[in-house]
Amino acid sequence: MSARSILYTTALGVLVYGAIGTLPASAQSSAKPTDPQIAHIAYTAGTIDIENAQLALKKSKNKDVRAFAEDMVRDHTAVNDKALALVKQLNVTPEDNATSRSLVKSADAERAKLAKLNGAAFNRAYVKNEVAYHKAVDNALQTTLIPDAQNPQLKSLLQTGLQIFQGHEKHAEELATELK
Amino acid sequence: MARFGGRLVGAFAVCAVALAASPRPGSAETLHRVIDKMSFGAPVIAAHVGDVIEWSNHDFVAHTVTAKDGSFDVSIPPGKTALITVRHAGAIPFYCRFHPTMTGTIDAAG
């Protein structure tokens, strides 16, 4: 596992590994994220990827990298719009939490590193980060966010999101191979 | 009346000749396919040259149906439909430009 992947997995795993690891067994169930927290984590994860893509569109001249970044903006915006419509319909207010804060902190640090790179070095680092980021998000969806979501509509939206993001993960992996 | 009937028969005859003269009379079909859950469905679509395939995008993200040989390329917004025409015989691999891991093949008979 790369350092990047560990960074994101740790960020997304605060509730899973961190809290459960330190709490007594009786308190473990309360460590599970609530639906408003899950909605916030999922929305935050999407926003981070849109911001990464916007950086790529600003910096990269590579046709395939730009097409990938445009795909990320288009799809993550569509998923986040669905999520916003759903929380509105359910009258749920997404709730800021340790996982989403940690995720933003990790992503900001990574984006600052990317911003210093140019040309082929930027393209490779951006795509490598996209592979690691989607792996971590897909893993968090499968192991925590989807199983812990209580509302069936939220669960279903996360499941659809997972299918879309798994496609992104494969696309990023193929692009990473091309850029080597 | 007899004269009118004669003209009617004549008109049918003209139509029949016109139909006989067109290639593969009445054979072109419209096939309906659904894009759902980031998939084109069955990996191979059997079709004939001249057939139209109507794609319905049931996902809430946009897709494209793009032939690798460039013979068709349509964008389909979420919830919309788009048509492509099968222009030549043989295997025509296609993919989604937005999600290149989504692929399929049209197996077109002449």
Side-chain angles (χ1 to χ4, degrees), chain B residues 43-109:
Chain B
V44 179
I45 299 167
H48 290 91
V49 174
D51 283 353
V52 170
I53 303 178
E54 184 192 62
W55 291 97
S56 302
N57 180 5
H58 287 195
D59 282 337
F60 62 74
V61 291
H63 292 295
T64 78
V65 184
T66 306
K68 286 192 177 163
D69 66 8
S71 61
F72 52 80
D73 179 17
V74 289
S75 293
I76 320 174
K80 303 286 183 190
T81 59
L83 305 176
I84 60 158
T85 304
V86 180
R87 304 237 178 250
H88 62 84
I92 312 170
F94 62 91
Y95 68 109
C96 169
R97 277 191 285 109
F98 301 157
H99 311 100
T101 53
M102 290 171 61
T103 59
T105 300
I106 295 169
D107 187 11

Side-chain angles (χ1 to χ4, degrees), chain A residues 18-94:
Chain A
I20 289 175
T22 53
L23 289 171
S26 58
Q28 281 187 12
S29 59
S30 64
K32 284 185 176 180
T34 61
D35 280 4
Q37 288 173 333
I38 289 171
H40 197 275
I41 294 164
Y43 190 86
T44 303
T47 304
I48 287 169
D49 207 50
I50 292 168
E51 287 171 7
N52 288 349
Q54 283 164 342
L55 178 67
L57 290 170
K58 214 165 97 183
K59 292 190 72 101
S60 180
K61 289 186 173 66
N62 181 293
K63 180 174 69 71
D64 293 336
V65 170
R66 293 184 65 83
F68 176 83
E70 280 166 5
D71 293 344
M72 295 307 106
V73 173
R74 189 187 310 107
D75 282 1
H76 285 283
T77 302
V79 175
N80 273 6
D81 286 351
K82 274 273 168 194
L84 276 188
L86 179 62
V87 295
K88 198 175 167 191
Q89 181 200 324
L90 299 175
N91 209 15
V92 165
T93 307

Side-chain angles (χ1 to χ4, degrees), chain B residues 5-55:
Chain B
R7 282 170 68 179
L8 204 60
V9 169
F12 275 122
V14 169
C15 284
V17 169
L19 279 172
S22 66
R24 300 182 55 82
S27 68
E29 282 183 63
T30 299
L31 310 172
H32 300 274
R33 288 290 179 276
V34 168
I35 304 174
D36 191 27
K37 298 182 171 41
M38 304 299 284
S39 167
F40 287 118
V44 179
I45 299 167
H48 290 91
V49 174
D51 283 353
V52 170
I53 303 178
E54 184 192 62
W55 291 97

Side-chain angles (χ1 to χ4, degrees), chain A residues 1-11 106 110 113 128-129 132-133 136:
Chain A
M1 190 182 270
S2 71
R4 277 192 185 86
S5 191
I6 290 168
L7 191 70
Y8 289 126
T9 306
T10 308
S106 307
E110 193 55 46
K113 279 190 218 162
K128 193 176 170 191
N129 184 56
Y133 185 68

